[in-house]
Amino acid sequence: MQMPDSGSEISIRYSDLELSRAELYSTLGYGTSEPQADALALINRLLAEADNICRPRAGIRILDGAVEGPRLRLSGNWFAPGGIISHFLKGCDVFSIILATVGLEMDEWIQSYRVSGDVMEAFVADGIGSVVAEAVVDKTKKVLAQRVAKEGCSITNSYSPGYCGWHVREQQALFALLPKDFCGVTLTDSSLMLPLKSVSSVIGIGRDVLSQPYRCDVCRKKDCFRRKDS
Amino acid sequence: MADLIQLKDSIVKGRLNDAVDLTRVALDEGTDPQLLITDYMITAMQEIGQKFQDKQAYVPELLMAARAMRGALNLVQPLLVGEKSVTIGKIVIGTVFGDLHDIGKHLVASMLEGCGFEVIDLGVNVSADAFVKAVKEHDADILALSALLTTTMNYMKTVIDAMDQNGLRPKVKIMVGGAPVNKLFADQIGADGYSANANEAVHCAKQLLNIQ
Ligand code: B12
């Protein structure tokens, strides 16, 4: 079994990411329609800029732990991710914390469109940032899956503070388990990660674990605009 | 003659360049700037807002329209300086202290502006004191608060309490929003209005001020 470690960054490039245009359009709220000429030109221009600017970063820490009822222990620290998430992590005694970010450069690029005043440009740049952040998470999960496969293990889905009854405030305790300035991400007192387009997650590792569908299937946020089953 | 129906149309369709060109021609011909705003630009935003409400348009289409409107408005506004205020209400908006999320608030601000409100955007990470100061200074009709995390939305209550302590609460309506906020939370903290998206925010604001 994979030994606990103290956490390290993985090497990741923008060109490694699987970015889907369909995902971007759905994030931007284009239900079944597609962008018309003017909007498409704007989107293409910003995508090309993003390609030049983005320096994504991600890291993985593997630690021992356990699930007891609705509670999760990671190394010596206890968390309260709630019943839904605990259910999916049950049975694992090794876990991973992953941190994924689009990086400071892209956050600053988005910020530049926030202040420039063109609301559509700001919206598209922000949407690209969100899609890239998710793609960095996906890539990091693949790297982790490959790493543990060598030991005959597989991984669960990823679960983040702030989802499914896990209070976002527990980001503080989670970050206490990561090296200082890990991947260049910092946490504010209000539990906000900077760069803004960053994601933290916990993943279970084990011999018989399955990656169960997560977000839309078990989430109670019925009015979420990204909900897949509505 | 500038085709003003086409001006309205170009805003609805989100064609920035057309909207700007047509506005320029109209102004060169001496069309009343105020008339351009009320009869064509705001009408255009109402039309696209209705389409959105009827699910015939999506958020980006709403924003392309708001963008075209902004471009046209940039030409018209300088001509209105010194004239009596032409807005239907003044709104101070900001993302509360501890939170740096901007885009949701930005969308709400531009829809409100597009539909005839004057919007003073204080940006992100705004303290209760700064909200109090701005509401006083601008004599705002509505205060609009945004947050994206459950950890930061509680600060909305702090802002509402500060309005109370400064005697501003009876004078200003307060509306709140953002991903983790819902109607229940809005009621609990004593806000006057809540809406889940930028278009409904316009209806909410109009309702709060008893505007048709
Ligand atoms: C895209 C997304 C991300 C992206 C980008 C994040 C970002 N915001 O930039 C990524 C993948 C990076 C991400 C990360 C995280 N996310 Co996230 N994310 C979302 C998602 C799916 C959409 C957010 C978005 O950008 N919407 C588009 C904008 C335009 O919408 P909006 O900001 O909500 O604004 C609209 C309305 O709310 C309203 N509105 C907004 N303000 C106002 C103000 C007034 C007055 C009114 C009337 C209306 C109004 O009108 C706006 C326009 O229509 C939401 C879920 C959802 N469906 O909302 C979760 C969500 C915001 N995320 C959430 C969480 C928990 C996180 C993380 C903490 C997870 C983690 N542990 O890593 C991190 C935090 C990142 C950080 N910096 O700390 C939670 C937050 C709630 C909470 N528990 O605190 C949400 C709500 C999901 C959930 N659990 O339900 N996230």
Side-chain angles (χ1 to χ4, degrees):
Chain A
M1 173 52 82
Q2 193 89 26
M3 284 304 290
D5 62 22
S6 55
S8 57
E9 259 191 67
I10 61 172
S11 138
I12 198 163
R13 279 169 316 186
Y14 188 75
S15 55
D16 296 336
L17 305 176
E18 284 173 36
L19 295 170
S20 123
R21 217 169 244 269
E23 186 66 32
L24 175 62
Y25 291 171
S26 127
T27 294
L28 295 177
Y30 281 106
T32 47
S33 76
E34 292 216 339
Q36 301 300 302
D38 282 12
L40 188 63
L42 192 155
I43 292 170
N44 287 341
R45 172 163 55 84
L46 295 192
L47 274 174
E49 283 183 27
D51 190 37
N52 274 323
I53 279 157
C54 184
R55 301 278 175 275
R57 291 172 76 175
I60 297 175
R61 178 171 183 199
I62 293 175
L63 7 69
D64 67 283
V67 172
E68 280 180 22
R71 302 209 309 153
L72 165 71
R73 181 179 60 77
L74 293 177
S75 198
N77 296 39
W78 284 97
F79 294 86
I84 300 171
I85 293 177
S86 298
H87 171 76
F88 288 112
L89 294 174
K90 216 165 41 200
C92 297
D93 52 12
V94 178
F95 295 85
S96 158
I97 303 174
I98 64 165
L99 192 59
T101 180
V102 302
L104 196 61
E105 297 80 359
M106 180 171 241
D107 237 41
E108 281 174 353
W109 172 75
I110 297 169
Q111 169 70 16
S112 72
Y113 280 107
R114 283 190 190 117
V115 295
S116 79
D118 185 322
V119 62
M120 181 66 180
E121 287 181 356
F123 181 66
V124 172
D126 192 274
I128 292 175
S130 295
V131 173
V132 172
E134 304 254 22
V136 182
V137 173
D138 289 344
K139 176 72 191 167
T140 312
K141 280 158 77 171
K142 277 198 183 138
V143 170
L144 176 67
Q146 280 164 2
R147 217 184 259 183
V148 303
K150 291 183 197 137
E151 323 268 343
C153 291
S154 48
I155 62 171
T156 66
N157 209 329
S158 53
Y159 300 95
S160 300
Y163 275 84
C164 284
W166 190 356
H167 205 285
V168 71
R169 176 189 326 118
E170 295 220 328
Q171 285 271 69
Q172 301 291 344
L174 197 70
F175 267 66
L177 292 170
L178 297 175
K180 199 170 173 292
D181 242 358
F182 199 38
C183 306
V185 176
T186 55
L187 193 68
T188 67
D189 290 344
S190 52
S191 299
L192 184 71
M193 287 179 282
L194 300 175
L196 277 176
K197 301 291 179 188
S198 304
V199 174
S200 65
S201 291
V202 170
I203 296 176
I205 299 169
R207 296 207 184 273
D208 307 305
V209 307
L210 283 177
S211 184
Q212 303 273 4
Y214 166 46
R215 291 198 169 126
C216 303
D217 304 61
V218 297
C219 175
R220 295 196 191 90
K221 198 171 163 56
K222 300 286 181 232
D223 56 352
C224 177
F225 77 93
R226 305 192 69 187
R227 209 172 166 84
K228 301 274 187 331
D229 60 1
S230 60
Chain B
M1 259 292 283
D3 186 341
L4 295 181
I5 298 294
Q6 218 185 321
L7 167 62
K8 189 186 105 197
D9 230 42
S10 60
I11 293 178
V12 173
K13 297 215 168 88
R15 300 217 174 99
L16 172 67
N17 293 340
D18 292 353
V20 168
D21 290 347
L22 287 161
T23 305
R24 194 171 287 126
V25 175
L27 289 175
D28 285 348
E29 286 170 355
T31 316
D32 176 12
Q34 191 51 56
L35 178 102
L36 280 181
I37 297 182
T38 47
D39 287 14
Y40 297 95
M41 297 184 186
I42 292 180
T43 323
M45 287 307 288
Q46 280 165 346
E47 192 174 316
I48 185 77
Q50 189 57 46
K51 280 191 172 173
F52 178 81
Q53 210 69 6
D54 298 341
K55 303 207 169 10
Q56 285 166 10
Y58 296 104
V59 173
E61 283 142 2
L62 210 58
L63 298 183
M64 288 299 280
R67 173 176 189 253
M69 159 97 176
R70 180 78 266 184
L73 210 55
N74 282 345
L75 294 178
V76 179
Q77 257 169 350
L79 306 174
L80 296 171
V81 176
E83 283 194 21
K84 193 169 132 290
S85 168
V86 288
T87 66
I88 58 176
K90 261 194 198 178
I91 302 185
V92 164
I93 192 169
T95 299
V96 297
F97 179 73
D99 205 324
L100 301 175
H101 287 98
D102 184 81
I103 194 66
K105 179 213 65 183
H106 195 155
L107 262 55
V108 171
S110 43
M111 277 309 291
L112 288 167
E113 193 185 55
C115 292
F117 287 93
E118 180 181 345
V119 179
I120 299 113
D121 188 343
L122 303 183
V124 297
N125 202 17
V126 182
S127 69
D129 283 352
F131 279 120
V132 167
K133 191 163 162 266
V135 166
K136 269 191 202 156
E137 185 182 320
H138 299 282
D139 194 16
D141 304 300
I142 294 180
L143 172 64
L145 306 173
S146 180
L148 201 92
L149 292 179
T150 42
T151 41
T152 55
M153 70 181 190
N154 292 321
Y155 193 80
M156 291 178 168
K157 174 86 172 79
T158 310
V159 178
I160 295 181
D161 290 345
M163 291 295 145
D164 226 349
Q165 283 150 18
N166 285 274
L168 295 168
R169 193 65 189 90
K171 292 185 207 144
V172 67
K173 299 283 183 199
I174 298 178
M175 52 194 258
V176 295
V181 178
N182 56 30
K183 173 85 172 65
L184 182 70
F185 176 79
D187 290 342
Q188 278 169 354
I189 61 169
D192 302 302
Y194 156 79
S195 84
N197 66 53
N199 196 54
E200 280 169 26
V202 175
H203 292 283
C204 178
K206 284 185 174 172
Q207 236 166 29
L208 290 177
L209 300 184
N210 293 320
I211 301 166
Q212 291 286 345

